[in-house]
Amino acid sequence: MRKITARRYTDKKRPNLKFTVNFREAGKRRRKFFEAEAQAKSFAAFKNAELKRNGVEGAEFPTSLRVMAQNAVELLKPFGKTVTDAVQYYVAHLKASERSCTVKQLLAELLDAKESKGVSRRHLDDLRQRAGRFAASFGERIVATIRGREIEEWLDSLNVRPQTHNHYRNAVRLAFNFAVRRGYATENPAAKTEKANVLRAAPGILTVTQAARLLEIATPDILPHIAIGLFAGLRRAELERLDWSEVDFESGLIEVKAAKSKTAQRRFATLQPNLREWLLPVRKYRGSVTSEDFNKHFIQARVAAGITQWPDNALRHSFASYHLAHFKNAASTALELGHHDSRITFAHYRELVKPKEAERYWNIKPEASAKVVPLVAR
C-alpha cells in the first residue's frame, strides 16, 4: 500500500501554494494544494489513516456509495437476494421498458397472432371484448410499467360476478404472457392477482315434462335446434354454425367440424334414435339448422311451454345429465360433449337425475303420425 506524502509545489501563477498531496478517491487521481507544510502533512496523515482503515478499495469507493450499498444489502436480506441480483433484475426491467409497447399495441399484436394460428372466431371475439375492455383503461400505458395491484384494482372495479371476474383475469393473463414472450415485459403482473372464489351450483336442467312440452310446441323452424341441443348436447354456438349437410342420417352421426367447435377439435355426436325421429320430418339437404329469427320464436315457444325460468345452457346441461344417468359411462358422455377429461363430466353431472327419469327422457318421441320429409338433393 503506497504511502501518501506531502510534497513541495511551485507555481508562478499561484506563488502562495507551496505544498501538494496526491491521492486517489472514488477510483480517480486527486491533488490538493496547501500554503503551509503543516497543513499538507496533516491532510496526508488523515488520508493515510483512511487508507489503512478502509484499504485501497475503500479509499477508491465513495462514502455515499458505501452507505447506499449497505442499506441495499439490509433491504434485500429478508428476501435472500444480493445487490447484484437487484441490479440485474432492474436492468432487465429497464431494457424491457425501452423495447416495450403500449397496451393498445400489445392487444393488436396478440389478436393478429391468434388469428394467424387459426383460433376460433368465438375465442377471438371473446378475447377482443375482454382484453379490449382492459385496453380501454390502460391503452396508452407502457406494458412493462403496469403492476399487479393496478390490475387487481381494475378487476374489482368491474363489479361483475366471480366467474366473469375470472374470465377477465384470464384474458389479461393471456395478454401479459404474450408480452413476456415478445420481450415487452420481464414478468406477468396479472399472474399475481387473486382469483375470485366461485361457488359452483348444480347445472340447471329441464324436467322430462318441460323438455317434452317444449318439443311439442316448437315450430318446424326452431325444432331442429332444440332437439339436437337436448339429445346431442351441442353447444349453442356449435348449433348456430351447424349445417344440415353435417347431420348424417345414414351413419347416425352429427359432425362438429373443428372450425365450428369451441375446442377447435373435430368430433362426432351420436344421432340417438329419438333424435332421429324428431329430425326426419323437418330435415333438409343443406342450409343452417338454426333459423335467422330463432331467438324470437324460441322465447315464444318457451313461454307457451310454461318454462318461466330458463336455466343457463339448459339444453346441453340436460343432455349431459340424462345421458350420464342413462348410459352410466362418464367417458362416453364426455366424448359426446367434447370434454377433454371425463372427470369433469362426472363431477358436474353425476346424480342430477334418477335413472327412471333418464329412461323417460330418452323415450321422448314425436307422435307416430308425424310425416317424414323425403330428402331431395338440390
Side-chain angles (χ1 to χ4, degrees):
M1 187 181 297
R2 188 172 183 179
K3 189 176 181 179
I4 299 172
T5 60
R7 298 180 181 182
R8 286 190 173 278
Y9 175 75
T10 303
D11 190 339
K12 293 181 180 180
K13 294 182 179 179
R14 295 182 292 177
N16 60 315
L17 300 179
K18 299 179 179 180
F19 295 90
T20 181
V21 176
N22 298 325
F23 60 97
R24 294 182 69 85
E25 186 176 79
K28 295 182 179 180
R29 292 181 179 180
R30 303 289 186 187
R31 174 183 282 190
K32 194 170 179 66
F33 301 94
F34 301 89
E35 293 182 1
E37 184 179 10
Q39 292 176 324
K41 287 183 176 181
S42 176
F43 181 78
F46 169 77
K47 297 305 291 185
N48 280 319
E50 184 182 69
L51 188 63
K52 184 177 181 180
R53 183 172 62 251
N54 300 326
V56 175
E57 291 183 358
E60 296 186 354
F61 197 63
T63 301
S64 60
L65 284 181
R66 288 201 300 274
V67 173
M68 191 184 301
Q70 186 58 45
N71 289 338
V73 168
E74 294 301 319
L75 289 171
L76 291 166
K77 190 178 294 182
F79 304 97
K81 299 297 182 181
T82 67
V83 174
T84 301
D85 293 330
V87 171
Q88 289 175 342
Y89 177 87
Y90 194 63
V91 167
H93 168 74
L94 292 175
K95 288 181 177 179
S97 297
E98 288 180 353
R99 63 173 177 265
S100 191
C101 64
T102 65
V103 172
K104 188 180 296 184
Q105 292 170 327
L106 175 69
L107 179 58
E109 287 188 32
L110 173 62
L111 291 172
D112 286 343
K114 289 291 182 183
E115 190 167 13
S116 68
K117 291 180 180 178
V119 302
S120 69
R121 177 56 54 184
R122 181 176 179 179
H123 177 74
L124 275 176
D125 290 343
D126 183 75
L127 182 59
R128 183 178 288 107
Q129 187 271 323
R130 298 188 192 281
R133 192 168 175 180
F134 180 77
S137 298
F138 294 86
E140 299 305 323
R141 283 282 302 277
I142 298 299
V143 171
T145 67
I146 298 174
R147 298 290 171 261
R149 184 174 179 179
E150 294 179 90
I151 299 173
E152 191 137 31
E153 289 174 351
W154 175 79
L155 288 169
D156 291 340
S157 73
L158 297 177
N159 195 27
V160 294
R161 292 182 300 175
Q163 186 63 58
T164 305
H165 175 284
N166 289 340
H167 287 325
Y168 274 102
R169 178 177 178 270
N170 289 339
V172 177
R173 282 188 66 188
L174 189 151
F176 275 96
N177 279 335
F178 179 77
V180 172
R181 291 197 299 272
R182 287 286 173 100
Y184 299 148
T186 56
E187 62 180 1
N188 185 341
K192 299 180 180 179
T193 61
E194 190 174 356
K195 287 181 66 176
N197 186 28
V198 179
L199 298 176
R200 294 190 178 276
I205 64 173
L206 301 181
T207 65
V208 175
T209 301
Q210 287 175 326
R213 182 68 176 150
L214 184 61
L215 287 164
E216 290 169 359
I217 290 174
T219 54
D221 56 334
I222 65 172
L223 177 62
H225 180 115
I226 296 171
I228 295 174
L230 284 171
F231 301 124
L234 272 64
R235 300 176 177 89
R236 173 159 186 166
E238 293 169 345
L239 280 166
E240 291 172 348
R241 300 167 187 155
L242 186 66
D243 191 271
W244 276 107
S245 62
E246 294 154 354
V247 181
D248 190 341
F249 287 85
E250 185 175 342
S251 66
L253 296 172
I254 299 173
E255 180 184 8
V256 182
K257 294 185 176 179
K260 300 180 180 183
S261 169
K262 178 183 177 181
T263 59
Q265 291 185 332
R266 181 186 183 216
R267 77 175 191 278
F268 291 97
T270 304
L271 193 65
Q272 297 291 346
N274 64 333
L275 175 57
R276 182 186 185 89
E277 291 187 37
W278 282 105
L279 295 181
L280 280 173
V282 294
R283 65 176 176 168
K284 297 178 182 178
Y285 184 72
R286 63 169 63 90
S288 177
V289 166
T290 303
S291 61
E292 292 183 3
D293 53 357
F294 172 81
N295 287 335
K296 175 184 175 181
H297 292 160
F298 173 72
I299 292 173
Q300 293 172 349
R302 195 190 80 192
V303 172
I307 306 174
T308 54
Q309 295 294 327
W310 182 258
D312 183 47
N313 215 3
L315 300 180
R316 179 172 167 85
H317 288 327
S318 296
F319 164 82
S321 302
Y322 288 108
H323 190 280
L324 183 60
H326 185 65
F327 296 100
K328 296 180 175 58
N329 188 327
S332 175
T333 304
L335 190 64
E336 295 283 341
L337 291 167
H339 286 171
H340 294 295
D341 192 338
S342 61
R343 290 175 297 180
I344 298 174
T345 309
F346 188 76
H348 279 75
Y349 301 108
R350 180 172 60 98
E351 297 181 352
L352 291 185
V353 296
K354 296 178 180 178
K356 286 186 178 180
E357 289 300 293
E359 185 177 357
R360 288 182 58 210
Y361 182 85
W362 292 104
N363 277 298
I364 298 175
K365 299 177 181 179
E367 294 181 3
S369 60
K371 182 180 179 182
V372 175
V373 177
L375 188 62
V376 179
R378 290 176 296 191

